[in-house]
Structures are given as C-alpha cells and as structure tokens.
Amino acid sequence: ACWAGSSVAGRAAVGDVPPMTISFLRWFIALIVLLPLGAKPLWSERWILIRNFPIMCAFAFFGVVGFTVPYYVGLQFTEAVNVGILNASSPILIIVLSFAMLGVAIRPGQLVGVGFALIGTLVIISRGSLETLIGFALNVGDLLALSAFLSWAVYTVMLRWRPPGVSSYSFLVAIFALASLMMLPLYVIELALGRSFEHNFDNWFIIGYAALFPSTLAYLAWNFAVPIVGPNLAAITQYLNPVFAI
C-alpha cells in the first residue's frame, strides 16, 4: 500500500521536482527519521557491518540507488500506466532470480498463480482495453523503469544473505546512509546544472510522502517479511500495487 502511491507521487513530481533531487532527499530524510531507532544498534553492531562492508554496499546499490534513480528518471519519459504494466514483471523477476541465485524451486502452483495475477494486473491497468495492451511500446523511460524493477528483484533475493547479528533498524540505517552517499554526487550535479524546485506545500508533500511511506515504512515491513515468508511469496503481494495505486 505504501509503495502503490510511489508511482503516483513520482509522476506528480515530474516538471516540479527534479529526479535526482527527489531521489536523494527521499532517502536522506528517511535516514534522519530512522536514526533515533537505529543509531544505538548501529553503533553496537558496527564491527559486523564493517566486516560485511562490500555486501552492505551491494544492498545499498541494488535496493536503493539502482531502483530509485532509474525509476524516477524513467517517470520523466513515460506514463504511470506503462510503469504499472512493467511493475507486473517484478514478481516474475524475483521468482526467476531466487531460483537462479538461491536454488529455490518454482512450484507449478506458483506459475499458475503468477499467470493469473499477471493477467489480472494487465486487465486492471488497461481498464479491460485490448487496444491499450496492443499499443504498448517500450521507450527509454520504460527501459529505465524495467532496470529499476530488476535491481529491486536482485535486492529482494539478496536479503537471504543479510549479515547475521544485524538488526533491521541498523541494517536500514546503514544502507540508507551508503545510498545517500552514492546519490549525493548526482544531486550536486543536478544542482550545479541549475535544476531545483519551488519550496511549496505540494512539492514538499510529495518528497515527504516518498520519504516516510515508500522508503521508511515499506522498507521496514519488507525487510521484516522477506526472511520469514521467503522472496517468492513476498513477490506475489506486489500484484496489489496497481490495485492500491488506482
């Protein structure tokens, strides 16, 4: 439910809030929000995080940077309906990657479930119009969005390798901090090019929503859930995204 509004907010930001600005501020604000909960466990678990620094950087890249940046840039060049259709590929990518990376078997029932869910998603997004689906064509924005969903699928499967002894709060604070550092140069370049935004209620509402709901609350829920139910079952819930978004 938190994520469903992300494409709506991202599309609403087009023309008002530049993509690197919303990408960086979204995660920097989320980092500040989580710091009161994560600072103490982060300090007590610092040596575990330092020993696992390379994989923590990978979590930050695939789970935040590789998803957020192409997602918001892609929304500059495509429609929200296209992103919704491509989002239906995310559970399929997760199931395929969990088989390739973890050896998690794909059961026949899961394939049937994914097939029905995919058909249902396409019917909802296209409003039952076959012409809409036939007329669907990939542009640069769609390809960027697709790469974002691929990056998210890699992150979801990687959660099985989260370093033991690291709490959810310190884990998220660490990857949010690393991701913010990775995106900072892109944000500075955007500012240097003279691209900023008007500081009004609407723009800050979009940034605040993106920071609190798709970032903080959704990531907390996802990181708690995936190790319990596994990536394949978690992936199926993403078919609710277009339902909530509409």
Side-chain angles (χ1 to χ4, degrees):
C2 290
W3 273 324
S6 186
S7 60
V8 180
R11 186 63 187 170
V14 173
D16 293 315
V17 185
M20 293 303 109
T21 297
I22 191 171
S23 296
F24 173 76
L25 291 179
R26 166 182 173 174
W27 294 105
F28 185 69
I29 294 171
L31 171 64
I32 293 173
V33 170
L34 272 182
L35 263 180
L37 296 171
K40 187 175 180 179
L42 181 74
W43 178 253
S44 62
E45 298 160 10
R46 64 191 183 280
W47 295 115
I48 303 175
L49 294 168
I50 290 171
R51 285 196 301 270
N52 291 278
F53 184 72
I55 197 169
M56 293 301 297
C57 288
F59 278 122
F61 178 79
F62 288 109
V64 178
V65 182
F67 175 73
T68 308
V69 172
Y71 183 82
Y72 281 122
V73 174
L75 281 169
Q76 309 289 308
F77 303 101
T78 190
E79 297 297 325
V81 66
N82 287 31
V83 175
I85 291 173
L86 292 170
N87 190 38
S89 70
S90 185
I92 299 170
L93 291 171
I94 292 172
I95 289 173
V96 171
L97 285 175
S98 67
F99 172 74
M101 296 169 63
L102 301 175
V104 177
I106 304 174
R107 298 192 301 273
Q110 288 178 324
L111 291 176
V112 173
V114 166
F116 276 114
L118 179 59
I119 292 169
T121 300
L122 295 179
V123 169
I124 291 170
I125 293 171
S126 66
R127 298 177 184 176
S129 170
L130 187 61
E131 289 77 10
T132 301
L133 293 179
I134 293 174
F136 175 72
L138 289 173
N139 59 38
V140 65
D142 299 326
L143 293 174
L144 286 168
L146 190 60
S147 73
F149 296 134
L150 177 60
S151 183
W152 176 251
V154 172
Y155 169 77
T156 298
V157 176
M158 282 179 59
L159 284 175
R160 186 71 65 89
W161 301 327
R162 195 174 87 182
V166 176
S167 66
S168 292
Y169 291 122
S170 61
F171 175 78
L172 287 180
V173 167
I175 67 171
F176 287 4
L178 289 168
S180 296
L181 288 174
M182 292 177 188
M183 288 186 286
L184 181 59
L186 299 173
Y187 175 53
V188 171
I189 290 172
E190 194 171 68
L191 290 178
L193 293 173
R195 301 194 65 191
S196 186
F197 67 99
E198 185 179 343
H199 295 276
N200 56 37
F201 174 81
D202 289 348
N203 290 339
W204 276 110
F205 181 84
I206 291 169
I207 294 170
Y209 174 87
L212 294 176
F213 293 96
S215 300
T216 308
L217 292 179
Y219 269 69
L220 277 172
W222 193 254
N223 283 274
F224 276 124
V226 172
I228 296 171
V229 302
N232 286 7
L233 183 57
I236 300 301
T237 66
Q238 294 199 270
Y239 282 116
L240 287 169
N241 271 7
V243 179
F244 284 117
I246 289 168

PDB file of all heavy atoms in Angstrom, residues 23 31 41 49 62 66-67 72 98 103-104 115 118 131 137 149 170 174 179 184-185 195 197 201 203 216 219:
ATOM      1  N   SER A  23      15.172  11.764  -5.476  1.00  0.00           N
ATOM      2  CA  SER A  23      15.860  10.519  -5.125  1.00  0.00           C
ATOM      3  C   SER A  23      16.727  10.715  -3.888  1.00  0.00           C
ATOM      4  O   SER A  23      16.660   9.927  -2.933  1.00  0.00           O
ATOM      5  CB  SER A  23      16.732  10.036  -6.297  1.00  0.00           C
ATOM      6  OG  SER A  23      15.953   9.717  -7.421  1.00  0.00           O
ATOM      7  N   LEU A  31      16.652   8.431   6.236  1.00  0.00           N
ATOM      8  CA  LEU A  31      17.784   8.152   7.139  1.00  0.00           C
ATOM      9  C   LEU A  31      17.634   8.920   8.449  1.00  0.00           C
ATOM     10  O   LEU A  31      17.820   8.348   9.540  1.00  0.00           O
ATOM     11  CB  LEU A  31      19.091   8.548   6.439  1.00  0.00           C
ATOM     12  CG  LEU A  31      20.365   8.541   7.284  1.00  0.00           C
ATOM     13  CD1 LEU A  31      20.684   7.130   7.765  1.00  0.00           C
ATOM     14  CD2 LEU A  31      21.545   9.107   6.477  1.00  0.00           C
ATOM     15  N   PRO A  41      21.674   0.514  17.933  1.00  0.00           N
ATOM     16  CA  PRO A  41      22.087  -0.794  17.407  1.00  0.00           C
ATOM     17  C   PRO A  41      23.158  -0.678  16.326  1.00  0.00           C
ATOM     18  O   PRO A  41      24.013  -1.562  16.203  1.00  0.00           O
ATOM     19  CB  PRO A  41      20.792  -1.390  16.845  1.00  0.00           C
ATOM     20  CG  PRO A  41      19.858  -0.249  16.691  1.00  0.00           C
ATOM     21  CD  PRO A  41      20.228   0.736  17.733  1.00  0.00           C
ATOM     22  N   LEU A  49      29.045  -4.774  10.649  1.00  0.00           N
ATOM     23  CA  LEU A  49      28.781  -4.032   9.418  1.00  0.00           C
ATOM     24  C   LEU A  49      30.077  -3.738   8.663  1.00  0.00           C
ATOM     25  O   LEU A  49      30.117  -3.828   7.429  1.00  0.00           O
ATOM     26  CB  LEU A  49      28.046  -2.729   9.735  1.00  0.00           C
ATOM     27  CG  LEU A  49      26.629  -2.894  10.291  1.00  0.00           C
ATOM     28  CD1 LEU A  49      26.109  -1.573  10.847  1.00  0.00           C
ATOM     29  CD2 LEU A  49      25.693  -3.406   9.204  1.00  0.00           C
ATOM     30  N   PHE A  62      21.668  -1.998  -5.016  1.00  0.00           N
ATOM     31  CA  PHE A  62      20.543  -2.675  -5.675  1.00  0.00           C
ATOM     32  C   PHE A  62      19.191  -2.316  -5.039  1.00  0.00           C
ATOM     33  O   PHE A  62      18.184  -2.194  -5.744  1.00  0.00           O
ATOM     34  CB  PHE A  62      20.742  -4.189  -5.646  1.00  0.00           C
ATOM     35  CG  PHE A  62      21.817  -4.672  -6.570  1.00  0.00           C
ATOM     36  CD1 PHE A  62      23.021  -5.145  -6.072  1.00  0.00           C
ATOM     37  CD2 PHE A  62      21.634  -4.652  -7.941  1.00  0.00           C
ATOM     38  CE1 PHE A  62      24.018  -5.590  -6.926  1.00  0.00           C
ATOM     39  CE2 PHE A  62      22.622  -5.095  -8.804  1.00  0.00           C
ATOM     40  CZ  PHE A  62      23.825  -5.562  -8.299  1.00  0.00           C
ATOM     41  N   GLY A  66      20.024   1.644  -7.374  1.00  0.00           N
ATOM     42  CA  GLY A  66      19.690   1.006  -8.640  1.00  0.00           C
ATOM     43  C   GLY A  66      18.205   0.936  -8.894  1.00  0.00           C
ATOM     44  O   GLY A  66      17.775   0.765 -10.041  1.00  0.00           O
ATOM     45  N   PHE A  67      17.408   1.050  -7.839  1.00  0.00           N
ATOM     46  CA  PHE A  67      15.959   1.081  -8.012  1.00  0.00           C
ATOM     47  C   PHE A  67      15.448   2.505  -8.144  1.00  0.00           C
ATOM     48  O   PHE A  67      14.724   2.841  -9.083  1.00  0.00           O
ATOM     49  CB  PHE A  67      15.271   0.387  -6.830  1.00  0.00           C
ATOM     50  CG  PHE A  67      13.770   0.496  -6.880  1.00  0.00           C
ATOM     51  CD1 PHE A  67      13.034  -0.243  -7.789  1.00  0.00           C
ATOM     52  CD2 PHE A  67      13.094   1.366  -6.033  1.00  0.00           C
ATOM     53  CE1 PHE A  67      11.653  -0.132  -7.863  1.00  0.00           C
ATOM     54  CE2 PHE A  67      11.717   1.482  -6.093  1.00  0.00           C
ATOM     55  CZ  PHE A  67      10.993   0.728  -7.007  1.00  0.00           C
ATOM     56  N   TYR A  72      12.775   7.089 -10.997  1.00  0.00           N
ATOM     57  CA  TYR A  72      12.327   8.484 -11.095  1.00  0.00           C
ATOM     58  C   TYR A  72      12.735   9.125 -12.417  1.00  0.00           C
ATOM     59  O   TYR A  72      11.983   9.944 -12.970  1.00  0.00           O
ATOM     60  CB  TYR A  72      12.860   9.306  -9.919  1.00  0.00           C
ATOM     61  CG  TYR A  72      12.075   9.099  -8.648  1.00  0.00           C
ATOM     62  CD1 TYR A  72      12.689   8.639  -7.492  1.00  0.00           C
ATOM     63  CD2 TYR A  72      10.714   9.349  -8.589  1.00  0.00           C
ATOM     64  CE1 TYR A  72      11.966   8.430  -6.323  1.00  0.00           C
ATOM     65  CE2 TYR A  72       9.983   9.154  -7.433  1.00  0.00           C
ATOM     66  CZ  TYR A  72      10.623   8.696  -6.305  1.00  0.00           C
ATOM     67  OH  TYR A  72       9.905   8.493  -5.151  1.00  0.00           O
ATOM     68  N   SER A  98      15.375 -15.923  -7.648  1.00  0.00           N
ATOM     69  CA  SER A  98      15.510 -16.747  -6.442  1.00  0.00           C
ATOM     70  C   SER A  98      15.863 -18.181  -6.815  1.00  0.00           C
ATOM     71  O   SER A  98      16.577 -18.864  -6.087  1.00  0.00           O
ATOM     72  CB  SER A  98      14.229 -16.705  -5.603  1.00  0.00           C
ATOM     73  OG  SER A  98      13.161 -17.334  -6.274  1.00  0.00           O
ATOM     74  N   GLY A 103      18.546 -21.224  -5.710  1.00  0.00           N
ATOM     75  CA  GLY A 103      18.091 -22.585  -5.971  1.00  0.00           C
ATOM     76  C   GLY A 103      16.714 -22.876  -5.419  1.00  0.00           C
ATOM     77  O   GLY A 103      16.357 -24.044  -5.220  1.00  0.00           O
ATOM     78  N   VAL A 104      15.914 -21.818  -5.162  1.00  0.00           N
ATOM     79  CA  VAL A 104      14.560 -22.006  -4.658  1.00  0.00           C
ATOM     80  C   VAL A 104      13.686 -22.539  -5.790  1.00  0.00           C
ATOM     81  O   VAL A 104      13.564 -21.913  -6.846  1.00  0.00           O
ATOM     82  CB  VAL A 104      13.970 -20.686  -4.110  1.00  0.00           C
ATOM     83  CG1 VAL A 104      12.530 -20.895  -3.660  1.00  0.00           C
ATOM     84  CG2 VAL A 104      14.820 -20.176  -2.960  1.00  0.00           C
ATOM     85  N   GLY A 115       0.626 -16.427 -13.302  1.00  0.00           N
ATOM     86  CA  GLY A 115      -0.084 -16.213 -14.567  1.00  0.00           C
ATOM     87  C   GLY A 115      -1.403 -15.507 -14.374  1.00  0.00           C
ATOM     88  O   GLY A 115      -1.699 -14.511 -15.065  1.00  0.00           O
ATOM     89  N   LEU A 118      -0.777 -11.920 -13.194  1.00  0.00           N
ATOM     90  CA  LEU A 118      -0.298 -11.082 -14.290  1.00  0.00           C
ATOM     91  C   LEU A 118      -1.454 -10.661 -15.194  1.00  0.00           C
ATOM     92  O   LEU A 118      -1.577  -9.489 -15.574  1.00  0.00           O
ATOM     93  CB  LEU A 118       0.758 -11.837 -15.097  1.00  0.00           C
ATOM     94  CG  LEU A 118       1.357 -11.103 -16.307  1.00  0.00           C
ATOM     95  CD1 LEU A 118       2.025  -9.802 -15.880  1.00  0.00           C
ATOM     96  CD2 LEU A 118       2.358 -12.002 -17.024  1.00  0.00           C
ATOM     97  N   GLU A 131      -6.856  -2.741 -26.914  1.00  0.00           N
ATOM     98  CA  GLU A 131      -6.112  -1.783 -27.720  1.00  0.00           C
ATOM     99  C   GLU A 131      -4.970  -1.148 -26.933  1.00  0.00           C
ATOM    100  O   GLU A 131      -3.894  -0.882 -27.465  1.00  0.00           O
ATOM    101  CB  GLU A 131      -7.041  -0.676 -28.247  1.00  0.00           C
ATOM    102  CG  GLU A 131      -8.026  -1.117 -29.324  1.00  0.00           C
ATOM    103  CD  GLU A 131      -9.210  -1.884 -28.744  1.00  0.00           C
ATOM    104  OE1 GLU A 131      -9.357  -1.895 -27.508  1.00  0.00           O
ATOM    105  OE2 GLU A 131      -9.980  -2.471 -29.536  1.00  0.00           O
ATOM    106  N   ALA A 137       4.283   0.090 -26.152  1.00  0.00           N
ATOM    107  CA  ALA A 137       5.611   0.014 -26.767  1.00  0.00           C
ATOM    108  C   ALA A 137       6.632   0.583 -25.789  1.00  0.00           C
ATOM    109  O   ALA A 137       6.360   1.541 -25.068  1.00  0.00           O
ATOM    110  CB  ALA A 137       5.631   0.800 -28.077  1.00  0.00           C
ATOM    111  N   PHE A 149      13.133  -2.295 -11.665  1.00  0.00           N
ATOM    112  CA  PHE A 149      12.462  -3.468 -11.107  1.00  0.00           C
ATOM    113  C   PHE A 149      13.406  -4.672 -11.055  1.00  0.00           C
ATOM    114  O   PHE A 149      13.320  -5.495 -10.141  1.00  0.00           O
ATOM    115  CB  PHE A 149      11.214  -3.801 -11.926  1.00  0.00           C
ATOM    116  CG  PHE A 149      10.167  -2.724 -11.864  1.00  0.00           C
ATOM    117  CD1 PHE A 149       9.537  -2.282 -13.019  1.00  0.00           C
ATOM    118  CD2 PHE A 149       9.817  -2.140 -10.653  1.00  0.00           C
ATOM    119  CE1 PHE A 149       8.572  -1.288 -12.964  1.00  0.00           C
ATOM    120  CE2 PHE A 149       8.861  -1.138 -10.590  1.00  0.00           C
ATOM    121  CZ  PHE A 149       8.236  -0.707 -11.744  1.00  0.00           C
ATOM    122  N   SER A 170      19.387  -1.119  12.280  1.00  0.00           N
ATOM    123  CA  SER A 170      20.758  -0.747  11.935  1.00  0.00           C
ATOM    124  C   SER A 170      21.067  -1.099  10.484  1.00  0.00           C
ATOM    125  O   SER A 170      21.821  -0.391   9.803  1.00  0.00           O
ATOM    126  CB  SER A 170      21.758  -1.436  12.871  1.00  0.00           C
ATOM    127  OG  SER A 170      21.676  -2.839  12.774  1.00  0.00           O
ATOM    128  N   ALA A 174      22.174   1.770   7.844  1.00  0.00           N
ATOM    129  CA  ALA A 174      23.455   1.613   7.134  1.00  0.00           C
ATOM    130  C   ALA A 174      23.269   1.731   5.625  1.00  0.00           C
ATOM    131  O   ALA A 174      24.007   2.469   4.957  1.00  0.00           O
ATOM    132  CB  ALA A 174      24.092   0.271   7.488  1.00  0.00           C
ATOM    133  N   ALA A 179      23.574   4.614   0.555  1.00  0.00           N
ATOM    134  CA  ALA A 179      22.869   5.011  -0.673  1.00  0.00           C
ATOM    135  C   ALA A 179      22.845   6.532  -0.822  1.00  0.00           C
ATOM    136  O   ALA A 179      22.996   7.060  -1.941  1.00  0.00           O
ATOM    137  CB  ALA A 179      21.453   4.455  -0.658  1.00  0.00           C
ATOM    138  N   LEU A 184      24.615  11.385  -3.637  1.00  0.00           N
ATOM    139  CA  LEU A 184      24.983  12.784  -3.395  1.00  0.00           C
ATOM    140  C   LEU A 184      25.651  13.438  -4.606  1.00  0.00           C
ATOM    141  O   LEU A 184      25.281  14.565  -4.969  1.00  0.00           O
ATOM    142  CB  LEU A 184      25.870  12.882  -2.159  1.00  0.00           C
ATOM    143  CG  LEU A 184      26.312  14.293  -1.757  1.00  0.00           C
ATOM    144  CD1 LEU A 184      25.097  15.182  -1.477  1.00  0.00           C
ATOM    145  CD2 LEU A 184      27.227  14.238  -0.525  1.00  0.00           C
ATOM    146  N   PRO A 185      26.635  12.785  -5.266  1.00  0.00           N
ATOM    147  CA  PRO A 185      27.244  13.439  -6.449  1.00  0.00           C
ATOM    148  C   PRO A 185      26.229  13.737  -7.549  1.00  0.00           C
ATOM    149  O   PRO A 185      26.301  14.791  -8.194  1.00  0.00           O
ATOM    150  CB  PRO A 185      28.282  12.407  -6.920  1.00  0.00           C
ATOM    151  CG  PRO A 185      28.577  11.576  -5.720  1.00  0.00           C
ATOM    152  CD  PRO A 185      27.301  11.510  -4.949  1.00  0.00           C
ATOM    153  N   ARG A 195      19.087  22.956 -11.710  1.00  0.00           N
ATOM    154  CA  ARG A 195      17.791  22.283 -11.582  1.00  0.00           C
ATOM    155  C   ARG A 195      17.428  22.146 -10.105  1.00  0.00           C
ATOM    156  O   ARG A 195      18.075  21.429  -9.354  1.00  0.00           O
ATOM    157  CB  ARG A 195      17.832  20.899 -12.250  1.00  0.00           C
ATOM    158  CG  ARG A 195      18.167  20.936 -13.725  1.00  0.00           C
ATOM    159  CD  ARG A 195      17.856  19.611 -14.373  1.00  0.00           C
ATOM    160  NE  ARG A 195      16.428  19.328 -14.350  1.00  0.00           N
ATOM    161  CZ  ARG A 195      15.900  18.144 -14.656  1.00  0.00           C
ATOM    162  NH1 ARG A 195      16.687  17.142 -14.984  1.00  0.00           N
ATOM    163  NH2 ARG A 195      14.586  17.966 -14.610  1.00  0.00           N
ATOM    164  N   PHE A 197      13.789  23.078  -7.220  1.00  0.00           N
ATOM    165  CA  PHE A 197      12.327  23.049  -7.181  1.00  0.00           C
ATOM    166  C   PHE A 197      11.804  24.168  -6.297  1.00  0.00           C
ATOM    167  O   PHE A 197      12.514  24.694  -5.431  1.00  0.00           O
ATOM    168  CB  PHE A 197      11.825  21.688  -6.664  1.00  0.00           C
ATOM    169  CG  PHE A 197      12.146  21.404  -5.215  1.00  0.00           C
ATOM    170  CD1 PHE A 197      11.200  21.611  -4.223  1.00  0.00           C
ATOM    171  CD2 PHE A 197      13.398  20.920  -4.841  1.00  0.00           C
ATOM    172  CE1 PHE A 197      11.482  21.344  -2.900  1.00  0.00           C
ATOM    173  CE2 PHE A 197      13.693  20.643  -3.520  1.00  0.00           C
ATOM    174  CZ  PHE A 197      12.738  20.855  -2.547  1.00  0.00           C
ATOM    175  N   PHE A 201       4.060  23.758  -0.596  1.00  0.00           N
ATOM    176  CA  PHE A 201       3.479  22.641   0.148  1.00  0.00           C
ATOM    177  C   PHE A 201       3.397  21.378  -0.709  1.00  0.00           C
ATOM    178  O   PHE A 201       3.726  20.283  -0.252  1.00  0.00           O
ATOM    179  CB  PHE A 201       2.083  23.011   0.656  1.00  0.00           C
ATOM    180  CG  PHE A 201       1.361  21.870   1.320  1.00  0.00           C
ATOM    181  CD1 PHE A 201       1.622  21.536   2.648  1.00  0.00           C
ATOM    182  CD2 PHE A 201       0.438  21.102   0.615  1.00  0.00           C
ATOM    183  CE1 PHE A 201       0.974  20.469   3.262  1.00  0.00           C
ATOM    184  CE2 PHE A 201      -0.219  20.044   1.215  1.00  0.00           C
ATOM    185  CZ  PHE A 201       0.052  19.724   2.542  1.00  0.00           C
ATOM    186  N   ASN A 203       5.115  20.304  -3.359  1.00  0.00           N
ATOM    187  CA  ASN A 203       6.391  19.642  -3.633  1.00  0.00           C
ATOM    188  C   ASN A 203       6.961  18.962  -2.395  1.00  0.00           C
ATOM    189  O   ASN A 203       7.454  17.832  -2.469  1.00  0.00           O
ATOM    190  CB  ASN A 203       7.397  20.649  -4.197  1.00  0.00           C
ATOM    191  CG  ASN A 203       7.041  21.086  -5.605  1.00  0.00           C
ATOM    192  OD1 ASN A 203       6.309  20.392  -6.314  1.00  0.00           O
ATOM    193  ND2 ASN A 203       7.536  22.239  -6.014  1.00  0.00           N
ATOM    194  N   THR A 216      10.641   4.550   4.350  1.00  0.00           N
ATOM    195  CA  THR A 216      10.787   4.097   5.734  1.00  0.00           C
ATOM    196  C   THR A 216       9.852   2.938   6.081  1.00  0.00           C
ATOM    197  O   THR A 216      10.305   1.832   6.418  1.00  0.00           O
ATOM    198  CB  THR A 216      10.546   5.269   6.698  1.00  0.00           C
ATOM    199  OG1 THR A 216      11.378   6.374   6.320  1.00  0.00           O
ATOM    200  CG2 THR A 216      10.882   4.853   8.120  1.00  0.00           C
ATOM    201  N   TYR A 219      10.016  -0.244   3.559  1.00  0.00           N
ATOM    202  CA  TYR A 219      11.272  -0.998   3.660  1.00  0.00           C
ATOM    203  C   TYR A 219      11.356  -1.749   4.985  1.00  0.00           C
ATOM    204  O   TYR A 219      11.866  -2.872   5.033  1.00  0.00           O
ATOM    205  CB  TYR A 219      12.479  -0.070   3.490  1.00  0.00           C
ATOM    206  CG  TYR A 219      12.935   0.052   2.053  1.00  0.00           C
ATOM    207  CD1 TYR A 219      12.149   0.706   1.107  1.00  0.00           C
ATOM    208  CD2 TYR A 219      14.139  -0.490   1.622  1.00  0.00           C
ATOM    209  CE1 TYR A 219      12.551   0.817  -0.206  1.00  0.00           C
ATOM    210  CE2 TYR A 219      14.563  -0.382   0.309  1.00  0.00           C
ATOM    211  CZ  TYR A 219      13.757   0.281  -0.605  1.00  0.00           C
ATOM    212  OH  TYR A 219      14.161   0.380  -1.916  1.00  0.00           O
TER     213      TYR A 219
END
